[in-house]
Amino acid sequence: LILTNLHAFRREKGFFMDDLITEFLTETNESLAALDSDIVRLEQNPNDRELLSGIFRLMHTIKGTCGFLGLSRLEKVAHHAENVLGRFRDGDLLVTPSYVTLILESLDRIKMIISGLEETGSEPQGDDSVLIEKLDAVFEGRDGNPDNGTSGVDVIPDHVKDAADPLQALFDSTPVLPQEEWHTIVTVPEDDAPETASAMEKPAAATPPPAAPKAETPAPAAKAGGDDHGGKESALAAQSLRVNVDVLENLMTLVSELVLTRNQLLQIMRSQKDTEFTAPLQRLSHVVSDLQEGVMKTRMQPVGNAWTKLPRIIRDLSIELGKKIDLEMIGAETELDRQILDMIKDPLTHMVRNSADHGVEMPADRVKAGKPETGRIVLRAYHEGGHIIIEITDDGKGLALSKIKEKAIKNGLATEDELANMSDQQIQQFIFRAGFSTAEKVTSVSGRGVGMDVVRTNIEKIGGSIILKSVEGKGSTFLIKIPLTLAIVSALIVESGGERFAIPQLAVRELVLASEKSGVKIETVKGTPFFRLRDQLLPLVSLKELLGLTSEDNNATKYIIVAQIGTYQFGIIVDRVFDTEEIVVKPVTRLLKGIELFSGNTILGDGSVIMILDPNGLVKAMGETDIADAGGGAKQEAKTGHGKEKTALLLFGAGNGAPKAVPLALVARLEEVETAKIEYSSGKAMIQYRGQLMPLVTFDHTVDMHSQPRKPVLVFTDETSTMGLVVDEIVDITEEIVDVQVSANADGVVGSAIINGRATDVIDIGHFIRGANKDWFKRHGDEAFGEASSIGRRVLLVDDSPFFRNMLTPLLKVAGYNVTTLENPLEALQMRETGEKFDLIVSDIEMPKMNGFEFAKKVREENSLWKDIPMVALTSHSTQQDIEHGMDVGFSRYIAKFDRETLLSTINQALLSRGGVQ
Amino acid sequence: MSGLGLLEKEDTAAAQSRELLTIMIGDQIFGIPILQVQDVLGGQKITRIPLAPRAIAGSLNLRGRIVTAIDVRACLGMPPLDKKEGAQEMSVVVENGGELYSLMIDSVGDVLSLPYRDYEKNPATLDPQWRSVCQGIYRLKGKLLVVLDVPRLLEQLN
């Protein structure tokens, strides 16, 4: 990053800076970031030798390079700080907070000089004598600290004292300094001559004065340990290269171009019969995909890079505020795109500051509340299904609802009546509104009016979302969900006014076709269009009008793209909808930066350039300035009543007989395929889909795959496989309270239910998937099908969806299990408190309040009564990462929700293996 | 000292003439310093960009890079090209601040090496809009060549 800045800088100013200095700045900035957190860690573990040598080495490198480059001011500061660090490392001076502050002060000075160097190309003028004097006072033991007795010559190691020839022993135990470290012995502060010169040409000066050798003589064990460490590090360093970001960006562009060309070739290929090009092209296609993945990986960086400053910030804050705070960072190695990392750095810092300032209480208050004196802030990052989740949790005082209410009324954000009808969760969301700050007093840390609203906006800008959970008196948790990468996204291609645009798929909820004929129509109130989407009035915006486009296309049929930002839903009217495509996002030219409606542009498979619409910008253009909780109320209402929640179902027609339904949550996509393009391989139907072969199955023999030129297909995905179910027509999406009557005999049907007033078959997707893909079944573990006695075994089923509870409970009961069904993990944990025991727990993953991963962690806690109960995870779309994460937190099996055969066999196995253990 | 002298000499030698790519817009001949030119393109498929200023004609794909098309006629306050004349539009691709721009013009002529003695800075009477995007004028035989100041032209759009 620094490199790019410098390049930009050079270009702008035409300024010439020595490449060596550029390199030095990059390296030093990295080292400094690392030093900051190391020194704070040192304060917590003052006796950590390894840490001490690490810090010392870093400071030493900075100093050494400065000398080489002739940066005398920088060198002096580093040199004197290194002297003091040397004494800590050798253990003859104990690390105290005031010393750490002094070292941090020196680091700040170094940073200041470096930033001056970056700006002007030479060291800024200034006087460091006060700082140097302070450092020297500590080094020479005249800083008034009773524990800091001068040089420590009197401390003679025991083995030396007891040796027969003490002098020889002392000599033996004194490791020979490597030549490049000789100059560290020279402690004459005024010495400005280059280090190497002083070491080589002035042997007299290098001859240690009595105090010096001791100061530079670490205990042999520590030295050896330190050397080992250094050796490991350099071995690692040899395996990595420093590459300019520009080079990577360029590579990325080239690969994108390659991908596009490949797609074009594949497009041409599809219209040809078998030719000799087919096989090589397939191979090329695979190689290109791998290459793309590889290049993407080079952009990934551990999220810890955005965290390095935090320990220092927390330390400074806790001193300034008089609080005691521990910062714990988990999952720092989790990787995400460099670009996103840059964008979340500031919001994260802000939030951690907030937690320290507003969240954690003063030590006295904490003791009063029965909490440990030291507050905890936990930062945790992990992958979850193509997203990265960052949690910031503190065990502080939580959000005070009464204060938020007061503030909301005072600032005119809501009336008392409105607040009375809101849930606690909704009231808490007020902190994301502009100009809202709950701090009673404004400190230098936070509470300056720019607050959580800015954080929210920044996170939503990159397609992420932020959720707040807070319990008054117990603490708060912020959950940030962000996409792994911004560079390649899935986007829906639409047309409006004769121009094509891309809308990021992340924001798209569903598509509605509105035409006069079908009675599904757009209504207007004083010119403003609206649409009735199930029980809700959906505000609409015409893309054509918004973009000021004109065209003669006055087709009565329009498509409505239902989009969602946060909890706000709206519809975009477009003329046509094409396909979803994986697109490579490129930034728009700076000449267009002012137009908020576009988030970027891209090149499609056919080589044309199109603009990418920014859903946030669209909402802004519609005049909705604050969307944090608009529409949230309606959503909340839809989910009331215990066990009577609605399930979204996709209704379709296939073959003869009753209409069919499948839970929408299980369907990955709806596609329409040209039946002429269906190919056959060893008697199985398949189609080329997104560069892969997707097996196709029909609902039953009465469905003819080729009866129409285009056929609708429901696409199901799991881990890496995809399957398409060919049906006759897609009827509707409906939200209903479904009560499934399970029937055991019909193939491919779970049971029937009354939907839209008609008896409807609810289909068993697992059946079709097995038909399409034998591996699928194998992967989910159908080895060794032993028979465990199911009679009377107690199974706990936790799933928030009433549909699945209703579907799975009878299934398990029929198989002879004694089933207890609960709708959330919290209830389950309450049950644990009462001492209930089960033989097996089956749990959903995506649940409100507490997800399956958290639940598993709780179940697997030490002293948990349920610690040894096997757990099976149920999921609708699982990725490899999910599965790994699940296994990490304690699930023993992972199965797809719709696969009831596998569910039963898995439960059987899990119980069997448990039986073996007992 | 001798090195410095040599440098100065070379400087003046290089400064005695300049190589310019000549382009035509309407019946006026313009020049762009040849070192700024990356590519010359024939008719290209350009994607319109809604809400963009008139001088930004759209964007196009040049070997995997997205290039912003600039309507130079609009920048110079000239009427749009009359398509009926059958003239095919040409573009000259230039780089500025790490981004590529394609300047849409009527046609491209030869590369000329022009001596500095025929050069004059913008005359005070030149149209103010032109003066803001041009460097100066070369006196050619029978006509005047206006040197476009590409960085300034692009900056004006910002």
Side-chain angles (χ1 to χ4, degrees):
Chain A
L1 187 73
I2 293 146
L3 269 179
T4 35
N5 282 349
L6 272 173
H7 281 301
F9 177 74
R10 268 194 219 177
R11 267 200 298 273
E12 275 164 26
K13 301 266 159 87
F15 184 84
F16 178 76
M17 194 186 277
D18 192 2
D19 273 348
L20 272 175
I21 295 195
T22 315
E23 189 80 356
F24 164 71
L25 288 175
T26 317
E27 224 164 75
T28 311
N29 271 310
E30 273 171 26
S31 312
L32 282 174
L35 257 188
D36 250 357
S37 48
D38 277 356
I39 291 193
V40 175
R41 256 169 64 213
L42 177 68
E43 193 178 21
Q44 287 152 358
N45 320 299
N47 299 316
D48 190 333
R49 290 264 162 174
E50 205 170 301
L51 202 54
L52 271 167
S53 341
I55 297 172
F56 180 84
R57 241 196 331 270
L58 270 172
M59 189 62 96
H60 176 78
T61 315
I62 293 179
K63 191 189 81 171
T65 332
C66 289
F68 182 66
L69 292 172
L71 303 168
S72 59
R73 185 176 168 204
L74 201 52
E75 184 194 349
K76 252 190 203 172
V77 176
H79 172 70
H80 291 269
E82 184 195 340
N83 284 344
V84 174
L85 279 168
R87 288 201 59 196
F88 295 148
R89 185 190 60 169
D90 302 339
D92 67 5
L93 185 57
L94 276 183
V95 180
T96 67
S98 66
Y99 288 156
V100 173
T101 308
L102 182 62
I103 293 293
L104 288 176
E105 200 183 315
S106 328
L107 282 180
D108 285 342
R109 186 66 55 91
I110 290 175
K111 278 184 205 160
M112 191 198 83
I113 298 174
I114 285 195
S115 67
L117 191 60
E118 255 174 73
E119 273 160 34
T120 64
S122 62
E123 289 183 312
Q125 294 299 310
D127 181 22
D128 308 312
S129 54
V130 178
L131 176 67
I132 289 176
E133 169 53 28
K134 271 200 253 174
L135 286 167
D136 282 353
V138 174
F139 176 59
E140 287 155 23
R142 44 183 175 83
D143 62 333
N145 177 358
D147 294 332
N148 184 5
T150 55
S151 57
V153 222
D154 44 345
V155 189
I156 294 170
D158 285 346
H159 69 275
V160 174
K161 233 190 284 182
D162 302 334
D165 182 352
L167 207 59
Q168 185 61 42
L170 184 64
F171 184 70
D172 287 344
S173 68
T174 308
V176 180
L177 275 183
Q179 187 172 321
E180 63 268 24
E181 274 184 44
W182 282 2
H183 59 274
T184 61
I185 302 167
V186 183
T187 53
V188 188
E190 291 76 21
D191 191 357
D192 275 345
E195 295 299 344
T196 40
S198 66
M200 307 287 274
E201 290 162 15
K202 291 189 226 162
T207 311
K214 188 63 222 135
E216 287 302 323
T217 308
K223 180 77 187 174
D227 275 348
D228 267 354
H229 189 66
K232 252 183 268 159
E233 248 177 23
S234 58
L236 265 181
Q239 288 183 11
S240 61
L241 277 178
R242 195 187 300 277
V243 179
N244 192 324
V245 171
D246 287 350
V247 176
L248 289 184
E249 294 293 322
N250 196 20
L251 208 54
M252 185 75 204
T253 314
L254 290 176
V255 169
S256 314
E257 175 69 357
L258 194 59
V259 169
L260 296 176
T261 316
R262 190 258 328 251
N263 292 352
Q264 264 170 297
L265 281 176
L266 288 175
Q267 195 87 42
I268 298 169
M269 218 51 210
R270 269 174 218 147
S271 57
Q272 316 266 315
K273 286 266 170 269
D274 268 353
T275 76
E276 54 191 317
F277 293 117
T278 315
L281 193 60
Q282 277 299 341
R283 246 190 342 263
L284 177 74
S285 169
H286 284 298
V287 174
V288 169
S289 299
D290 287 353
L291 184 64
Q292 184 185 12
E293 207 171 293
V295 172
M296 287 297 296
K297 261 191 203 141
T298 61
R299 293 169 56 100
M300 298 304 238
Q301 285 196 326
V303 69
N305 287 5
W307 293 357
T308 45
K309 287 209 178 94
L310 298 177
R312 167 85 189 266
I313 288 170
I314 292 295
R315 178 194 175 271
D316 289 356
L317 269 182
S318 48
I319 289 176
E320 188 181 331
L321 301 168
K323 293 178 179 178
K324 290 189 174 172
I325 305 169
D326 265 353
L327 176 70
E328 199 179 325
M329 302 190 287
I330 304 166
E333 70 288 347
T334 315
E335 288 192 321
L336 77 167
D337 196 284
R338 190 183 63 81
Q339 200 184 350
I340 298 189
L341 199 69
D342 280 348
M343 292 172 89
I344 59 159
K345 221 177 232 175
D346 290 341
L348 266 184
T349 312
H350 186 86
M351 288 170 73
V352 170
R353 273 169 177 277
N354 255 346
S355 294
D357 192 19
H358 305 320
V360 177
E361 312 94 323
M362 301 301 285
D365 295 337
R366 289 185 62 88
V367 172
K368 239 183 267 168
K371 298 185 200 178
E373 208 179 37
T374 306
R376 264 164 58 91
I377 297 176
V378 183
L379 210 57
R380 180 181 294 133
Y382 53 90
H383 287 298
E384 203 176 276
H387 283 83
I388 184 166
I389 313 275
I390 302 178
E391 281 178 28
I392 300 157
T393 308
D394 67 68
D395 65 347
K397 56 178 176 279
L399 288 177
L401 279 179
S402 55
K403 272 188 204 141
I404 297 178
K405 282 187 194 165
E406 218 174 273
K407 199 77 180 273
I409 295 169
K410 207 175 84 190
N411 293 359
L413 297 174
T415 65
E416 215 153 322
D417 285 347
E418 281 167 349
L419 288 175
N421 288 326
M422 286 186 182
S423 67
D424 291 359
Q425 177 92 28
Q426 276 173 300
I427 292 170
Q428 286 169 358
Q429 306 308 319
F430 272 111
I431 68 156
F432 292 119
R433 301 277 285 253
F436 196 94
S437 174
T438 54
E440 278 154 71
K441 49 182 175 194
V442 172
T443 62
S444 71
V445 183
S446 50
R448 281 164 297 195
V450 280
M452 297 308 293
D453 62 312
V454 179
V455 170
R456 192 198 76 207
T457 320
N458 282 344
I459 288 170
E460 281 175 0
K461 224 183 258 167
I462 52 174
S465 58
I466 179 165
I467 301 170
L468 161 69
K469 297 176 200 164
S470 180
V471 181
E472 207 170 336
K474 286 259 171 75
S476 314
T477 298
F478 288 94
L479 263 175
I480 305 172
K481 186 174 179 181
I482 39 182
L484 274 182
T485 176
L486 293 179
I488 293 193
V489 298
S490 186
L492 188 68
I493 313 298
V494 301
E495 187 185 288
S496 190
E499 299 285 333
R500 285 186 297 172
F501 299 95
I503 302 177
Q505 190 76 41
L506 274 172
V508 178
R509 285 281 147 268
E510 58 185 298
L511 295 179
V512 179
L513 175 67
S515 68
E516 290 290 338
K517 261 190 296 174
S518 63
V520 182
K521 58 174 197 268
I522 297 167
E523 296 164 84
T524 54
V525 178
K526 200 171 182 289
T528 313
F530 290 98
F531 179 74
R532 294 180 210 215
L533 180 71
R534 293 183 281 279
D535 310 338
Q536 237 181 300
L537 198 60
L538 190 73
L540 296 181
V541 59
S542 161
L543 195 57
K544 206 190 290 185
E545 280 168 31
L546 209 55
L547 296 175
L549 292 168
T550 47
S551 78
E552 294 90 63
D553 179 41
N554 273 323
N555 211 332
T557 341
K558 297 274 176 203
Y559 288 88
I560 298 170
I561 294 159
V562 182
Q564 187 164 3
I565 300 293
T567 54
Y568 180 71
Q569 277 202 343
F570 65 102
I572 308 163
I573 306 173
V574 298
D575 295 339
R576 283 178 75 188
V577 172
F578 297 95
D579 204 352
T580 54
E581 248 186 74
E582 300 283 311
I583 57 169
V584 181
V585 181
K586 302 180 179 213
V588 290
T589 160
R590 58 171 170 273
L591 301 184
L592 297 173
K593 281 273 149 54
I595 306 175
E596 283 188 326
L597 286 175
F598 304 125
S599 58
N601 46 18
T602 189
I603 301 173
L604 289 184
D606 63 4
S608 54
V609 179
I610 70 168
M611 303 303 291
I612 304 166
L613 293 170
D614 178 2
N616 285 298
L618 287 178
V619 173
K620 259 192 208 151
M622 280 168 80
E624 278 285 348
T625 47
D626 214 338
I627 53 165
D629 47 10
K635 256 205 122 147
Q636 212 71 29
E637 277 157 32
K639 289 214 168 185
T640 45
H642 263 284
K644 290 250 163 118
E645 285 156 50
K646 294 178 174 180
T647 307
L649 291 166
L650 177 75
L651 299 182
F652 61 93
N656 308 327
K660 313 282 184 287
V662 60
L664 191 60
L666 301 181
V667 182
R669 269 184 299 279
L670 296 179
E671 294 280 353
E672 221 177 27
V673 302
E674 283 176 45
T675 48
K677 290 194 177 158
I678 296 177
E679 299 168 55
Y680 288 88
S681 154
S682 58
K684 284 202 164 66
M686 44 192 61
I687 192 155
Q688 294 182 14
Y689 179 68
R690 299 188 171 196
Q692 283 186 325
L693 279 177
M694 174 170 81
L696 292 176
V697 294
T698 55
F699 180 72
D700 60 22
H701 64 275
T702 59
V703 178
D704 179 5
M705 254 190 223
H706 299 278
S707 62
Q708 292 152 266
R710 292 178 78 85
K711 278 281 212 183
V713 170
L714 319 187
V715 179
F716 299 95
T717 60
D718 178 37
E719 288 178 59
T720 51
S721 340
T722 314
M723 179 210 86
L725 177 66
V726 183
V727 301
D728 288 332
E729 57 164 348
I730 307 273
V731 179
D732 199 2
I733 293 172
T734 174
E735 269 184 17
E736 297 255 335
I737 297 163
V738 198
D739 191 7
V740 183
Q741 259 103 66
V742 175
S743 67
N745 33 21
D747 260 356
V749 173
V750 175
S752 41
I754 301 167
I755 296 168
N756 276 356
R758 288 188 64 185
T760 305
D761 289 338
V762 178
I763 66 158
D764 172 12
I765 297 157
H767 171 82
F768 298 105
I769 285 171
R770 277 190 301 280
N773 190 343
K774 291 275 182 283
D775 289 349
W776 201 313
F777 197 34
K778 217 181 284 159
R779 235 193 0 261
H780 282 294
D782 188 40
E783 326 86 23
F785 202 105
E787 272 300 311
S789 166
S790 55
I791 308 302
R793 295 281 204 158
R794 296 198 64 191
V795 173
L796 174 65
L797 172 68
V798 186
D799 195 324
D800 64 308
S801 149
F803 174 82
F804 286 105
R805 286 203 306 273
N806 293 344
M807 186 178 98
L808 295 174
T809 314
L811 199 71
L812 292 171
K813 277 189 177 152
V814 169
Y817 296 103
N818 183 349
V819 189
T820 307
T821 318
L822 293 174
E823 61 172 273
N824 75 57
L826 297 174
E827 287 178 22
L829 292 173
Q830 274 167 17
M831 209 167 216
R832 179 179 67 178
E833 300 307 312
T834 64
E836 290 272 348
K837 280 276 225 174
F838 292 94
D839 293 297
L840 182 87
I841 300 171
V842 178
S843 170
D844 188 13
I845 295 297
E846 282 145 43
M847 290 181 282
K849 287 183 188 153
M850 179 186 271
N851 69 30
F853 298 129
E854 291 164 350
F855 177 47
K857 263 185 224 158
K858 288 270 181 208
V859 168
R860 294 282 178 254
E861 269 173 3
E862 275 305 303
N863 309 326
S864 161
L865 185 64
W866 292 356
K867 204 172 57 179
D868 299 319
I869 302 180
M871 291 187 79
V872 173
L874 274 183
T875 168
S876 12
H877 305 294
S878 52
T879 63
Q880 195 55 39
Q881 284 155 346
D882 281 345
I883 294 179
E884 276 161 20
H885 185 49
M887 296 298 176
D888 283 348
V889 296
F891 282 107
S892 27
R893 303 277 166 160
Y894 227 89
I895 44 176
K897 252 185 180 176
F898 40 75
D899 201 351
R900 60 175 178 168
E901 293 291 322
T902 312
L903 173 67
L904 285 178
S905 68
T906 306
I907 290 178
N908 205 317
Q909 274 175 48
L911 287 173
L912 258 187
S913 59
R914 184 164 186 254
V917 171
Q918 284 174 337
Chain B
M1 266 326 273
S2 64
L4 203 66
L6 192 69
L7 214 74
E8 259 169 26
K9 221 176 178 176
E10 270 178 3
D11 251 7
T12 39
Q16 271 169 7
S17 68
R18 208 151 55 133
E19 295 209 311
L20 295 170
L21 175 71
T22 57
I23 54 178
M24 291 294 292
I25 304 173
D27 42 20
Q28 177 63 52
I29 181 165
F30 290 89
I32 299 177
I34 191 74
L35 289 177
Q36 291 178 7
V37 177
Q38 297 234 334
D39 246 309
V40 176
L41 306 173
Q44 290 278 323
K45 194 179 138 199
I46 292 175
T47 306
R48 267 199 297 168
I49 301 171
L51 308 180
R54 191 173 86 86
I56 297 177
S59 47
L60 56 99
N61 172 9
L62 178 67
R63 295 187 291 275
R65 285 191 68 175
I66 294 177
V67 180
T68 313
I70 307 291
D71 184 346
V72 182
R73 281 177 167 261
C75 296
L76 294 170
M78 294 164 77
L81 180 67
D82 193 358
K83 290 268 164 75
K84 268 175 260 164
E85 284 169 22
Q88 209 198 3
E89 276 198 355
M90 302 280 288
S91 306
V92 175
V93 179
V94 295
E95 186 178 336
N96 186 265
E99 288 182 11
L100 291 183
Y101 299 91
S102 121
L103 306 176
M104 293 165 58
I105 39 126
D106 296 0
S107 62
V108 176
D110 295 331
V111 174
L112 300 179
S113 183
L114 298 175
Y116 253 119
R117 60 186 138 78
D118 294 341
Y119 178 73
E120 259 168 54
K121 287 232 167 83
N122 283 337
T125 50
L126 189 66
D127 177 273
Q129 193 172 359
W130 283 42
R131 211 163 41 198
S132 65
V133 296
C134 299
Q135 285 178 351
I137 292 178
Y138 273 103
R139 300 179 301 268
L140 303 188
K141 218 181 258 174
K143 52 197 163 187
L144 295 174
L145 179 145
V146 182
V147 181
L148 277 182
D149 188 337
V150 176
R152 266 172 74 194
L153 185 137
L154 294 173
E155 221 162 84
Q156 298 252 313
L157 295 170
N158 225 334

